[in-house]
Amino acid sequence: MPEVPFESLEVNNFRGFSHLVVEQLGRVNLIVGKNSVGKSSLLEALWLYAQRGSLRTIEELLISRDELSSSRVRSELDWEKIETAIRSLLHGRADIRRGGAAIRIGPLDTPDRLLALNIGWYRRRKEEDGAVGVAVQSSPSSELPPDAFIGCAVQFGEERGVIRGFERLGGRTFASRVTDDQVMPSFFMPANGLSQGQIGLLWDEIALTDLEEDVVRSLQIVVPEIERINLISMYDDFSERVGRIPVIRMRGEKLPIPLRELGEGTSRMLGLTLCLVNTQGGLLLIDEIDSGLHYSTQYRLWELIFEVARRLNIQVFATTHSWDCIESFQAAASVNENDGMLIRLSRKGEGAIASTTFDGRRLKIATREHIEIR
């Protein structure tokens, strides 16, 4: 099996994880566990890692959970509200005025691949090679310097740390050493799917390539009569383009029809597969993978995911609550030896979250005996 980004995983001080260790991962990983145990948070940690602590990624994480208003990003910032939002990323909502706690994400025992994020208050200092950020610590009741700002010191492996300021939640960078080639290809697909604009951008990346065939194959899992797919522009009464929609050609039909006419399952399948084929050499993160999909389609979906992930060297992480999804995953994993892994998250004493891994053999036993692992 070609090398994957994560053979194991350690997450420190991120959201509900004080210290989470997953000792073994596969190419395709299904994450299960009760509500509020951290399944989505684990996907967020992986996405943050893939994007190397990007402030835009942090902004999107906060907005997606309503911890930050998207309108506030475009207006004058209220530092107190920004501080409250940022603290939600830290385990126990650590006080960033007293140093907070460093978020650390990476494979086990590989310091050269560790992402460290120190979120706190900083101020500028001028040096010969330009402006740098200097940490400021104070108590909640004391005054901060007038030029203080909330920032994030980002360090990946042995690279020198980078101070990024949240002045525009995507704002100023001081002494940057994180380069574009360190950022991994990745997509985070939320449970409610992709926007029309995201579908269009992903389609444009693979249009007229062999990867179109994978997209059509995935749609045929839901509706076997689908033969072709394309995106067409839609216009308003003033001939202004208002967006693009996917349309499909059905076997035996002369005219295309909107994909949405065929139900939620086809739209969900389109988004999943477009994310998959656009993530070559990177990470695909899918929240509630079975959302909108009938249980009868899930085994063939997992078959396709295993096949494409292996061919394009993609590592997949998905979450589910569904026993049907677990059973179909196990059936597909059983014919893809060493590629599939199920990770169960559960709460232990004093609120800690621990992981239990099930490889193909253990998962087969658990599903055969109907052992509760969700």
mmCIF file of all heavy atoms in Angstrom, residues 309-340:
data_model
loop_
_atom_site.group_PDB
_atom_site.id
_atom_site.type_symbol
_atom_site.label_atom_id
_atom_site.label_comp_id
_atom_site.label_asym_id
_atom_site.label_seq_id
_atom_site.Cartn_x
_atom_site.Cartn_y
_atom_site.Cartn_z
ATOM 1 N N ALA A 309 -9.737 5.565 -4.043
ATOM 2 C CA ALA A 309 -8.747 6.000 -3.051
ATOM 3 C C ALA A 309 -7.417 5.295 -3.262
ATOM 4 O O ALA A 309 -6.346 5.909 -3.142
ATOM 5 C CB ALA A 309 -9.267 5.736 -1.643
ATOM 6 N N ARG A 310 -7.459 4.024 -3.584
ATOM 7 C CA ARG A 310 -6.225 3.292 -3.840
ATOM 8 C C ARG A 310 -5.561 3.776 -5.141
ATOM 9 O O ARG A 310 -4.355 3.982 -5.197
ATOM 10 C CB ARG A 310 -6.528 1.798 -3.894
ATOM 11 C CG ARG A 310 -5.316 0.893 -3.969
ATOM 12 C CD ARG A 310 -5.676 -0.553 -3.686
ATOM 13 N NE ARG A 310 -6.798 -1.009 -4.508
ATOM 14 C CZ ARG A 310 -8.003 -1.293 -4.027
ATOM 15 N NH1 ARG A 310 -8.257 -1.185 -2.738
ATOM 16 N NH2 ARG A 310 -8.976 -1.699 -4.830
ATOM 17 N N ARG A 311 -6.369 3.974 -6.172
ATOM 18 C CA ARG A 311 -5.826 4.373 -7.481
ATOM 19 C C ARG A 311 -5.233 5.777 -7.445
ATOM 20 O O ARG A 311 -4.185 6.032 -8.056
ATOM 21 C CB ARG A 311 -6.929 4.284 -8.529
ATOM 22 C CG ARG A 311 -6.565 4.885 -9.882
ATOM 23 C CD ARG A 311 -7.473 4.393 -10.995
ATOM 24 N NE ARG A 311 -8.863 4.310 -10.636
ATOM 25 C CZ ARG A 311 -9.770 5.275 -10.878
ATOM 26 N NH1 ARG A 311 -9.397 6.407 -11.453
ATOM 27 N NH2 ARG A 311 -11.026 5.100 -10.548
ATOM 28 N N LEU A 312 -5.875 6.707 -6.736
ATOM 29 C CA LEU A 312 -5.420 8.104 -6.702
ATOM 30 C C LEU A 312 -4.640 8.442 -5.434
ATOM 31 O O LEU A 312 -4.312 9.601 -5.206
ATOM 32 C CB LEU A 312 -6.624 9.046 -6.836
ATOM 33 C CG LEU A 312 -7.464 8.910 -8.110
ATOM 34 C CD1 LEU A 312 -8.572 9.951 -8.133
ATOM 35 C CD2 LEU A 312 -6.603 9.039 -9.363
ATOM 36 N N ASN A 313 -4.336 7.437 -4.621
ATOM 37 C CA ASN A 313 -3.567 7.628 -3.388
ATOM 38 C C ASN A 313 -4.209 8.678 -2.479
ATOM 39 O O ASN A 313 -3.613 9.691 -2.127
ATOM 40 C CB ASN A 313 -2.112 8.016 -3.689
ATOM 41 C CG ASN A 313 -1.238 7.926 -2.455
ATOM 42 O OD1 ASN A 313 -1.506 7.156 -1.546
ATOM 43 N ND2 ASN A 313 -0.182 8.712 -2.422
ATOM 44 N N ILE A 314 -5.443 8.404 -2.087
ATOM 45 C CA ILE A 314 -6.223 9.290 -1.225
ATOM 46 C C ILE A 314 -6.451 8.580 0.102
ATOM 47 O O ILE A 314 -6.675 7.365 0.133
ATOM 48 C CB ILE A 314 -7.580 9.635 -1.863
ATOM 49 C CG1 ILE A 314 -7.384 10.313 -3.226
ATOM 50 C CG2 ILE A 314 -8.428 10.506 -0.940
ATOM 51 C CD1 ILE A 314 -8.641 10.335 -4.071
ATOM 52 N N GLN A 315 -6.400 9.327 1.202
ATOM 53 C CA GLN A 315 -6.805 8.774 2.492
ATOM 54 C C GLN A 315 -8.156 9.384 2.851
ATOM 55 O O GLN A 315 -8.331 10.603 2.819
ATOM 56 C CB GLN A 315 -5.779 9.057 3.584
ATOM 57 C CG GLN A 315 -6.048 8.277 4.871
ATOM 58 C CD GLN A 315 -4.908 8.349 5.873
ATOM 59 O OE1 GLN A 315 -4.102 9.269 5.853
ATOM 60 N NE2 GLN A 315 -4.833 7.368 6.757
ATOM 61 N N VAL A 316 -9.113 8.529 3.194
ATOM 62 C CA VAL A 316 -10.490 8.948 3.431
ATOM 63 C C VAL A 316 -10.842 8.767 4.905
ATOM 64 O O VAL A 316 -10.522 7.738 5.508
ATOM 65 C CB VAL A 316 -11.468 8.129 2.558
ATOM 66 C CG1 VAL A 316 -12.915 8.555 2.817
ATOM 67 C CG2 VAL A 316 -11.120 8.278 1.078
ATOM 68 N N PHE A 317 -11.510 9.777 5.467
ATOM 69 C CA PHE A 317 -12.068 9.708 6.818
ATOM 70 C C PHE A 317 -13.530 10.117 6.721
ATOM 71 O O PHE A 317 -13.846 11.183 6.180
ATOM 72 C CB PHE A 317 -11.342 10.650 7.770
ATOM 73 C CG PHE A 317 -9.909 10.262 8.051
ATOM 74 C CD1 PHE A 317 -8.894 10.640 7.185
ATOM 75 C CD2 PHE A 317 -9.580 9.530 9.181
ATOM 76 C CE1 PHE A 317 -7.570 10.292 7.432
ATOM 77 C CE2 PHE A 317 -8.267 9.169 9.433
ATOM 78 C CZ PHE A 317 -7.258 9.549 8.558
ATOM 79 N N ALA A 318 -14.421 9.275 7.240
ATOM 80 C CA ALA A 318 -15.849 9.565 7.189
ATOM 81 C C ALA A 318 -16.476 9.224 8.534
ATOM 82 O O ALA A 318 -15.952 8.399 9.290
ATOM 83 C CB ALA A 318 -16.524 8.765 6.072
ATOM 84 N N THR A 319 -17.607 9.855 8.825
ATOM 85 C CA THR A 319 -18.334 9.569 10.061
ATOM 86 C C THR A 319 -19.710 9.005 9.734
ATOM 87 O O THR A 319 -20.254 9.230 8.647
ATOM 88 C CB THR A 319 -18.514 10.828 10.933
ATOM 89 O OG1 THR A 319 -19.453 11.717 10.286
ATOM 90 C CG2 THR A 319 -17.198 11.552 11.145
ATOM 91 N N THR A 320 -20.297 8.276 10.692
ATOM 92 C CA THR A 320 -21.652 7.772 10.539
ATOM 93 C C THR A 320 -22.229 7.443 11.911
ATOM 94 O O THR A 320 -21.491 7.237 12.883
ATOM 95 C CB THR A 320 -21.692 6.515 9.658
ATOM 96 O OG1 THR A 320 -23.063 6.173 9.387
ATOM 97 C CG2 THR A 320 -21.019 5.323 10.338
ATOM 98 N N HIS A 321 -23.598 7.382 11.972
ATOM 99 C CA HIS A 321 -24.306 6.841 13.128
ATOM 100 C C HIS A 321 -25.002 5.530 12.772
ATOM 101 O O HIS A 321 -25.593 4.884 13.616
ATOM 102 C CB HIS A 321 -25.401 7.815 13.605
ATOM 103 C CG HIS A 321 -24.878 9.073 14.184
ATOM 104 N ND1 HIS A 321 -24.806 10.246 13.469
ATOM 105 C CD2 HIS A 321 -24.398 9.371 15.420
ATOM 106 C CE1 HIS A 321 -24.315 11.204 14.243
ATOM 107 N NE2 HIS A 321 -24.059 10.701 15.431
ATOM 108 N N SER A 322 -24.950 5.167 11.495
ATOM 109 C CA SER A 322 -25.820 4.129 10.975
ATOM 110 C C SER A 322 -25.188 2.738 11.012
ATOM 111 O O SER A 322 -24.056 2.547 10.542
ATOM 112 C CB SER A 322 -26.192 4.473 9.517
ATOM 113 O OG SER A 322 -26.700 3.363 8.832
ATOM 114 N N TRP A 323 -25.951 1.770 11.536
ATOM 115 C CA TRP A 323 -25.471 0.391 11.525
ATOM 116 C C TRP A 323 -25.423 -0.150 10.099
ATOM 117 O O TRP A 323 -24.535 -0.925 9.747
ATOM 118 C CB TRP A 323 -26.371 -0.481 12.397
ATOM 119 C CG TRP A 323 -25.892 -1.904 12.465
ATOM 120 C CD1 TRP A 323 -26.399 -2.974 11.797
ATOM 121 C CD2 TRP A 323 -24.784 -2.391 13.220
ATOM 122 N NE1 TRP A 323 -25.679 -4.103 12.085
ATOM 123 C CE2 TRP A 323 -24.684 -3.777 12.965
ATOM 124 C CE3 TRP A 323 -23.869 -1.798 14.098
ATOM 125 C CZ2 TRP A 323 -23.706 -4.579 13.541
ATOM 126 C CZ3 TRP A 323 -22.891 -2.593 14.677
ATOM 127 C CH2 TRP A 323 -22.816 -3.963 14.400
ATOM 128 N N ASP A 324 -26.368 0.241 9.246
ATOM 129 C CA ASP A 324 -26.334 -0.169 7.838
ATOM 130 C C ASP A 324 -25.038 0.278 7.175
ATOM 131 O O ASP A 324 -24.426 -0.471 6.400
ATOM 132 C CB ASP A 324 -27.522 0.415 7.074
ATOM 133 C CG ASP A 324 -28.850 -0.219 7.468
ATOM 134 O OD1 ASP A 324 -28.849 -1.420 7.791
ATOM 135 O OD2 ASP A 324 -29.862 0.497 7.455
ATOM 136 N N CYS A 325 -24.617 1.500 7.472
ATOM 137 C CA CYS A 325 -23.379 2.025 6.891
ATOM 138 C C CYS A 325 -22.176 1.233 7.394
ATOM 139 O O CYS A 325 -21.251 0.932 6.623
ATOM 140 C CB CYS A 325 -23.242 3.507 7.238
ATOM 141 S SG CYS A 325 -21.859 4.334 6.417
ATOM 142 N N ILE A 326 -22.170 0.880 8.678
ATOM 143 C CA ILE A 326 -21.065 0.090 9.234
ATOM 144 C C ILE A 326 -20.996 -1.276 8.564
ATOM 145 O O ILE A 326 -19.921 -1.760 8.190
ATOM 146 C CB ILE A 326 -21.221 -0.049 10.760
ATOM 147 C CG1 ILE A 326 -21.051 1.317 11.437
ATOM 148 C CG2 ILE A 326 -20.218 -1.055 11.328
ATOM 149 C CD1 ILE A 326 -21.407 1.325 12.909
ATOM 150 N N GLU A 327 -22.158 -1.919 8.393
ATOM 151 C CA GLU A 327 -22.176 -3.243 7.772
ATOM 152 C C GLU A 327 -21.694 -3.194 6.320
ATOM 153 O O GLU A 327 -20.928 -4.062 5.880
ATOM 154 C CB GLU A 327 -23.577 -3.837 7.837
ATOM 155 C CG GLU A 327 -23.979 -4.311 9.227
ATOM 156 C CD GLU A 327 -25.275 -5.084 9.206
ATOM 157 O OE1 GLU A 327 -26.222 -4.629 8.531
ATOM 158 O OE2 GLU A 327 -25.341 -6.147 9.853
ATOM 159 N N SER A 328 -22.123 -2.183 5.576
ATOM 160 C CA SER A 328 -21.691 -2.084 4.184
ATOM 161 C C SER A 328 -20.203 -1.745 4.101
ATOM 162 O O SER A 328 -19.493 -2.241 3.213
ATOM 163 C CB SER A 328 -22.528 -1.048 3.433
ATOM 164 O OG SER A 328 -22.421 0.235 4.018
ATOM 165 N N PHE A 329 -19.723 -0.938 5.039
ATOM 166 C CA PHE A 329 -18.283 -0.636 5.092
ATOM 167 C C PHE A 329 -17.494 -1.909 5.366
ATOM 168 O O PHE A 329 -16.474 -2.182 4.726
ATOM 169 C CB PHE A 329 -18.019 0.400 6.185
ATOM 170 C CG PHE A 329 -16.557 0.673 6.425
ATOM 171 C CD1 PHE A 329 -15.839 1.498 5.585
ATOM 172 C CD2 PHE A 329 -15.894 0.102 7.515
ATOM 173 C CE1 PHE A 329 -14.487 1.754 5.807
ATOM 174 C CE2 PHE A 329 -14.552 0.345 7.746
ATOM 175 C CZ PHE A 329 -13.846 1.177 6.888
ATOM 176 N N GLN A 330 -17.948 -2.716 6.321
ATOM 177 C CA GLN A 330 -17.246 -3.952 6.644
ATOM 178 C C GLN A 330 -17.209 -4.894 5.447
ATOM 179 O O GLN A 330 -16.177 -5.524 5.160
ATOM 180 C CB GLN A 330 -17.934 -4.637 7.830
ATOM 181 C CG GLN A 330 -17.251 -5.921 8.306
ATOM 182 C CD GLN A 330 -17.635 -7.137 7.504
ATOM 183 O OE1 GLN A 330 -18.815 -7.315 7.169
ATOM 184 N NE2 GLN A 330 -16.664 -7.983 7.173
ATOM 185 N N ALA A 331 -18.316 -4.999 4.725
ATOM 186 C CA ALA A 331 -18.354 -5.887 3.561
ATOM 187 C C ALA A 331 -17.358 -5.436 2.493
ATOM 188 O O ALA A 331 -16.654 -6.252 1.896
ATOM 189 C CB ALA A 331 -19.768 -5.926 2.992
ATOM 190 N N ALA A 332 -17.280 -4.122 2.258
ATOM 191 C CA ALA A 332 -16.322 -3.620 1.272
ATOM 192 C C ALA A 332 -14.888 -3.761 1.766
ATOM 193 O O ALA A 332 -13.975 -4.088 0.992
ATOM 194 C CB ALA A 332 -16.633 -2.168 0.939
ATOM 195 N N ALA A 333 -14.674 -3.522 3.065
ATOM 196 C CA ALA A 333 -13.320 -3.619 3.621
ATOM 197 C C ALA A 333 -12.810 -5.055 3.594
ATOM 198 O O ALA A 333 -11.603 -5.289 3.490
ATOM 199 C CB ALA A 333 -13.308 -3.088 5.053
ATOM 200 N N SER A 334 -13.714 -6.016 3.663
ATOM 201 C CA SER A 334 -13.297 -7.415 3.713
ATOM 202 C C SER A 334 -12.632 -7.869 2.417
ATOM 203 O O SER A 334 -11.876 -8.836 2.416
ATOM 204 C CB SER A 334 -14.494 -8.318 4.018
ATOM 205 O OG SER A 334 -15.421 -8.314 2.932
ATOM 206 N N VAL A 335 -12.906 -7.185 1.323
ATOM 207 C CA VAL A 335 -12.260 -7.530 0.055
ATOM 208 C C VAL A 335 -11.171 -6.515 -0.307
ATOM 209 O O VAL A 335 -10.655 -6.525 -1.423
ATOM 210 C CB VAL A 335 -13.295 -7.637 -1.088
ATOM 211 C CG1 VAL A 335 -14.220 -8.798 -0.849
ATOM 212 C CG2 VAL A 335 -14.076 -6.342 -1.245
ATOM 213 N N ASN A 336 -10.870 -5.615 0.614
ATOM 214 C CA ASN A 336 -9.789 -4.642 0.434
ATOM 215 C C ASN A 336 -8.874 -4.753 1.655
ATOM 216 O O ASN A 336 -8.818 -3.861 2.503
ATOM 217 C CB ASN A 336 -10.337 -3.221 0.295
ATOM 218 C CG ASN A 336 -11.107 -3.028 -0.990
ATOM 219 O OD1 ASN A 336 -10.542 -2.661 -2.013
ATOM 220 N ND2 ASN A 336 -12.417 -3.279 -0.959
ATOM 221 N N GLU A 337 -8.163 -5.870 1.740
ATOM 222 C CA GLU A 337 -7.389 -6.223 2.925
ATOM 223 C C GLU A 337 -6.415 -5.106 3.302
ATOM 224 O O GLU A 337 -5.704 -4.560 2.459
ATOM 225 C CB GLU A 337 -6.616 -7.508 2.685
ATOM 226 C CG GLU A 337 -5.961 -8.068 3.928
ATOM 227 C CD GLU A 337 -5.308 -9.413 3.683
ATOM 228 O OE1 GLU A 337 -5.458 -9.933 2.562
ATOM 229 O OE2 GLU A 337 -4.666 -9.913 4.609
ATOM 230 N N ASN A 338 -6.417 -4.748 4.588
ATOM 231 C CA ASN A 338 -5.506 -3.752 5.184
ATOM 232 C C ASN A 338 -5.831 -2.314 4.798
ATOM 233 O O ASN A 338 -5.141 -1.395 5.235
ATOM 234 C CB ASN A 338 -4.044 -4.040 4.826
ATOM 235 C CG ASN A 338 -3.594 -5.400 5.283
ATOM 236 O OD1 ASN A 338 -3.978 -5.850 6.355
ATOM 237 N ND2 ASN A 338 -2.792 -6.062 4.461
ATOM 238 N N ASP A 339 -6.863 -2.102 3.962
ATOM 239 C CA ASP A 339 -7.184 -0.729 3.558
ATOM 240 C C ASP A 339 -8.218 -0.080 4.471
ATOM 241 O O ASP A 339 -8.254 1.145 4.589
ATOM 242 C CB ASP A 339 -7.709 -0.702 2.118
ATOM 243 C CG ASP A 339 -6.597 -0.619 1.090
ATOM 244 O OD1 ASP A 339 -5.420 -0.549 1.495
ATOM 245 O OD2 ASP A 339 -6.903 -0.619 -0.116
ATOM 246 N N GLY A 340 -9.103 -0.870 5.092
ATOM 247 C CA GLY A 340 -10.197 -0.301 5.860
ATOM 248 C C GLY A 340 -9.978 -0.393 7.364
ATOM 249 O O GLY A 340 -9.463 -1.382 7.869
#
